[in-house]
Amino acid sequence: MVSPDVLREILKPSNSILVAWDVHRALFNGIFNKDEFQRALDTAISAARRVNVPVIFTRITPYPSGFEPITTRIMQWRGGFKPEEMELIVQPQPNDVVINKNTWSLFVGTNVELLLRNSGRYTVVFTGISTDIGVETSARHAYALGFIPVIISDAVSSHDREAHERSLANMRRFFPVITANELAKYWS
């Protein structure tokens, strides 16, 4: 467990970004805790914006036809969503960053690592859907690259409650895991 003093240093706004991972309506409609998740996500994003912490939204972007990875043979894209279902449930503001991505990692095929290094930021605060897929994958990848992931436990979710809880338990062993209200206090 990280001490409050260390967490205060880690979460300095000048050190941090907030990631809203894949908050598409199609994914949101399938999670087990919509109301709690929406409140916590709004709290986290509002806290970030109040203290000028950059907010990065990810957007699922399918590969162009004929350029799909070989891995699609073992896990077919379960998309088929209508365009309106791929809208984000929180609208990015003009100063927010929207990253199109094709993988379960925030850092594969994107320029997020470069953005973090260019800005001197090293703390990546994670919110979004799905805890057990893209959030945990990206948090582990962030740590492997030398960044500090912080998970907002009530602002991440999944369609599978057990997988969500298991993923949070895994991440608690390695990374700070706090609530949206706790984050808002650090960023007040």
Side-chain angles (χ1 to χ4, degrees), residues 99-103 105-112:
I99 299 290
N100 294 325
K101 51 94 185 160
N102 310 101
T103 71
S105 174
L106 180 63
F107 301 98
V108 174
T110 73
N111 64 350
V112 174

Side-chain angles (χ1 to χ4, degrees), residues 21-35 37-38 41 60 80-90 128-130 157-160:
W21 181 266
D22 292 357
V23 291
H24 298 282
R25 184 148 316 281
L27 300 179
F28 175 76
N29 287 339
I31 64 175
F32 67 89
N33 60 342
K34 287 182 196 156
D35 293 337
F37 172 81
Q38 182 75 62
L41 180 64
I60 298 169
F81 300 124
K82 298 174 186 164
E84 62 272 14
E85 293 176 320
M86 292 310 288
E87 292 175 4
L88 301 175
I89 62 167
V90 175
I129 307 165
S130 282
S157 190
S158 177
H159 74 281
D160 182 334

Side-chain angles (χ1 to χ4, degrees), residues 51-67:
V51 294
N52 297 314
V53 168
V55 179
I56 295 179
F57 288 87
T58 64
R59 187 174 10 220
I60 298 169
T61 307
Y63 287 97
S65 181
F67 291 93

Side-chain angles (χ1 to χ4, degrees), residues 140-169:
R140 289 176 180 276
H141 197 169
Y143 190 79
L145 291 170
F147 301 112
I148 300 172
V150 176
I151 313 306
I152 308 306
S153 61
D154 51 350
V156 293
S157 190
S158 177
H159 74 281
D160 182 334
R161 180 183 217 127
E162 288 180 18
H164 163 81
E165 294 297 336
R166 193 171 46 249
S167 184
L168 282 177

Side-chain angles (χ1 to χ4, degrees), residues 63-83:
Y63 287 97
S65 181
F67 291 93
E68 301 87 353
I70 193 75
T71 54
T72 59
R73 290 183 180 174
I74 59 170
M75 185 172 183
Q76 293 294 315
W77 167 246
R78 294 183 307 229
F81 300 124
K82 298 174 186 164

